[in-house]
Amino acid sequence: MALCYQYQLPVLPLDRPVPKHVLSRRGAISFSSSSSLFGCANPRVLSQRRGAISYESSDQTALYIRMLGDVRVRSRAGFQPERRDSHPYVDFRLLHLPPETGELASARKIRRLLSFQRYFRSTHLFRGISSWNSLCILDDNYSGQAMCMLEKDGSWNFDIFLFDRLTNGNSLVTLTFHLFKYHGLIEHFHLDLIKLRRFLVMVQEDYHRNNPYHNAVHAADVTQAMHCYLKEAKLAKSVSPWDVLLGLLAAATHDMDHPGVNQPFLIKTNHYLASLYKNTSVLENHHWRSAVCVLQESKLFAHLSVEESYQIGSQLGSLILATDISRQNEFLSQLRTRLDRSDLCLDDAGHRHFMLQIALKCADISNPCRPWELSKQWSEKVCQEFFHQGDIERRHKLAISQLCDRHTETVANIQIGFITYVAKPLFVEWSRFCNTTLSQTMLGHLSLNNASWKGLLQERTRSGDDADSTCEEMD
């Protein structure tokens, strides 16, 4: 079945003039080479606003399209708004091209209004101005409680859901800004507070609020976990401010602009991102490019040297690409080999970077290692996102992706499998590297949560057997 995309854009040859209708969109930025990142020598700047990036390097030519806010692009159905909360950037309506109704036109007007409201809130947020919406205003009590929670920023029991409510949905901005101050990064790198705040607001706004799991709260949770790992004695005495900066940046941006569907979905529907990245680490490459774009736009590191700016972009990409779950066995095997040989030397910058990759991977899948009350919420949210994708696939007669069929899968089954085959092997090796109270606590929660899911599965099985027995007796 051929799918038509609402947001398909032409791939433009980099040596030809860019059409005006592309430049009119928010932010077409062209980089002439990989060394042009972050304002290096003679970047071909087409527009300073956010949107599409044409990126060329010695080994890659790519058209990277930001999926944000109120960007409008041309499709067979005419100009359509590219909404950040749409799911998953595939307009299946184009398969039939029904006539546009008044209701649809009204919906578009509402979306444009909401886009303006999002912009208004974000600009006020990084200026420190409270939202004008009376329903969203928090009193000093809530702010005080949020500040009290930040005093325990290194606690593994940190409730990111509560913190998000106390900060009025701004957990990622508030927590990451606090951690930059905690680790002394603002002073060490001479960061401008306004630029930093603006950068964090832009990052948070790039996460899709409608995603049950891959949203800004997940990013904040991963950032808090990374902070806990960076405080571990073995890492804390070895990492440099540069390592800490990269670790926190990667954690905060590692899922930017996640569309709420997985890579197999993008590949099977011939999504332009899958074509762009040749079906390899599609989402992770997009998250990295999104982070690079926001860093460029915010000018957070404009005062650094060309080489330092380039290194930040390159190493940030290396960390984010490591979160590709399909590379799990690759990194796990490397970690086991190095631990078996006892040849990890954290004085070596390359070894430290490898352990930052492992730390980010651990932080990204740390949900099963949290206390049950938190872990259960995350498990239900990720499965909700899986099942939503499966519903879309079923509705449009596509093959349903693994773990995405709500009729054959259960949250308990999915979590038991994930803990057994993905989480536990990684955290066992992390415990070998860093055998501390925290690593043992995580393994303890992992075992308890696995047992809890098995208990729920058994209860469900017994309930099903009892129901079958009752039906047989009635017959």
Side-chain angles (χ1 to χ4, degrees), residues 87-89 208 211 214 257-262 385-386 388-389:
H87 185 97
Y89 310 107
H208 299 210
N211 287 349
H214 289 104
D257 201 28
H258 196 294
V261 293
N262 59 21
E385 195 166 292
F386 288 165
H388 185 42
Q389 174 181 323

Side-chain angles (χ1 to χ4, degrees), residues 413-447:
N413 265 329
I414 292 173
Q415 291 307 307
I416 291 169
F418 183 77
I419 290 172
T420 303
Y421 299 109
V422 180
K424 187 174 181 180
L426 180 60
F427 283 98
V428 166
E429 298 306 317
W430 177 263
S431 182
R432 285 181 61 198
F433 163 72
C434 194
N435 189 12
T436 62
T437 300
L438 175 57
S439 64
Q440 293 305 314
T441 298
M442 291 192 297
L443 286 177
H445 286 313
L446 199 64
S447 298

Side-chain angles (χ1 to χ4, degrees), residues 26 68-72 81-85 107-123 205:
R26 291 168 62 196
L68 291 176
D70 58 355
V71 180
R72 301 171 67 82
E82 184 175 322
R83 280 195 304 122
R84 195 178 55 227
D85 288 338
R108 288 181 182 172
K109 292 179 182 177
I110 293 173
R111 286 197 290 268
R112 285 197 293 270
L113 174 61
L114 291 177
S115 178
F116 169 77
Q117 291 173 342
R118 284 198 300 270
Y119 170 77
F120 185 87
R121 287 198 298 270
S122 65
T123 54
E205 287 291 302

Side-chain angles (χ1 to χ4, degrees), residues 364-380:
D364 191 26
I365 63 169
S366 63
N367 303 149
C369 300
R370 298 282 191 178
W372 171 251
E373 294 77 14
L374 299 176
S375 179
K376 185 171 182 290
Q377 290 185 69
W378 283 122
S379 300
E380 291 168 345

Side-chain angles (χ1 to χ4, degrees), residues 14 56 82 109 122 140 172 174 224 281 286 415 430:
L14 296 175
E56 179 188 359
E82 184 175 322
K109 292 179 182 177
S122 65
D140 292 339
L172 182 58
T174 308
Q224 194 270 336
S281 299
H286 182 58
Q415 291 307 307
W430 177 263

Side-chain angles (χ1 to χ4, degrees), residues 5 21 31 57-58 71 120 128 137 155-156 164 273 285 297 303 331-332 352 385 420 423-424 469:
Y5 290 92
H21 77 270
F31 297 107
S57 67
S58 58
V71 180
F120 185 87
I137 293 178
S155 169
W156 192 246
D164 192 62
L273 286 177
N285 270 298
E297 184 177 348
H303 62 289
F331 280 95
L332 187 58
R352 288 201 309 275
E385 195 166 292
T420 303
K424 187 174 181 180
S469 300

